[in-house]
């Protein structure tokens, strides 16, 4: 089983893939092809894909029973003790300081102190 997901790809590439796979949604192709055709299709995708992205997931003989390839995306496959995982880049939100703790007391701590001091009076 092979699943290919394309983003921002040329129309001609989608037409080429429909010869071998079924397009079940825009840019999502599914089918059952052998490894030789799968590898050649992946090479064709890389050749024709300009600034788009491609992800291919296929059946494989390993513990996960699948493997995947990624092209043109920020996410990258990483081998972690024999398991293939996807590593996402850490995105910083606007106005937040990633990695630096905020100064001062938390709201929960403030409420707890206020409750503690109000019981004394």
């Amino acid at each position: 089983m092979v699943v290919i997901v394309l983003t921002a790809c040329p129309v001609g590439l989608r037409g080429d893939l429909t010869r071998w796979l079924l397009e079940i949604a825009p840019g999502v192709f599914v089918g059952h092809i052998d490894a030789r055709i799968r590898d050649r299709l992946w090479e064709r995708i890389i050749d024709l894909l300009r600034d788009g992205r491609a992800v291919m997931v296929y059946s494989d003989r390993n513990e996960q029973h699948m493997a995947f390839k990624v092209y043109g995306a920020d996410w990258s496959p990483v081998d972690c003790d024999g398991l293939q995982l996807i590593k996402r880049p850490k995105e910083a939100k606007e106005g937040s300081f990633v990695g630096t703790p905020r100064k001062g007391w938390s709201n929960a701590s403030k409420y707890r102190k206020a409750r503690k001091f109000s019981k004394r009076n």
Side-chain angles (χ1 to χ4, degrees), residues 70-94:
V70 178
Y71 176 78
D74 296 336
W75 299 17
S76 59
V78 177
D79 185 63
C80 183
D81 292 333
L83 294 176
Q84 198 173 18
L85 305 173
I86 291 286
K87 180 180 177 182
R88 296 190 301 178
K90 190 171 186 178
E91 296 180 12
K93 295 180 183 176
E94 291 183 25

Side-chain angles (χ1 to χ4, degrees), residues 1-3 38 55-70 77 83-86:
M1 176 68 86
V2 176
V3 178
R38 180 189 68 219
V55 177
M56 179 171 64
V57 182
Y58 55 94
S59 301
D60 200 8
R61 292 183 180 182
N62 57 20
E63 288 186 16
Q64 291 176 302
H65 299 286
M66 68 175 178
F68 44 86
K69 295 181 182 181
V70 178
L83 294 176
Q84 198 173 18
L85 305 173
I86 291 286

Side-chain angles (χ1 to χ4, degrees), residues 11-83:
V11 178
L13 177 58
R14 289 175 61 184
D16 283 349
L17 289 178
T18 55
R19 293 179 188 168
W20 298 98
L21 304 168
L22 180 65
E23 187 172 14
I24 59 172
V28 180
F29 299 88
V30 178
H32 185 73
I33 53 178
D34 63 355
R36 184 176 56 90
I37 294 173
R38 180 189 68 219
D39 292 338
R40 294 229 175 137
L41 279 177
W42 185 249
E43 291 172 5
R44 181 128 175 97
I45 289 169
I46 291 173
D47 289 341
L48 294 177
L49 201 60
R50 296 182 195 117
D51 54 351
R53 288 182 252 164
V55 177
M56 179 171 64
V57 182
Y58 55 94
S59 301
D60 200 8
R61 292 183 180 182
N62 57 20
E63 288 186 16
Q64 291 176 302
H65 299 286
M66 68 175 178
F68 44 86
K69 295 181 182 181
V70 178
Y71 176 78
D74 296 336
W75 299 17
S76 59
V78 177
D79 185 63
C80 183
D81 292 333
L83 294 176

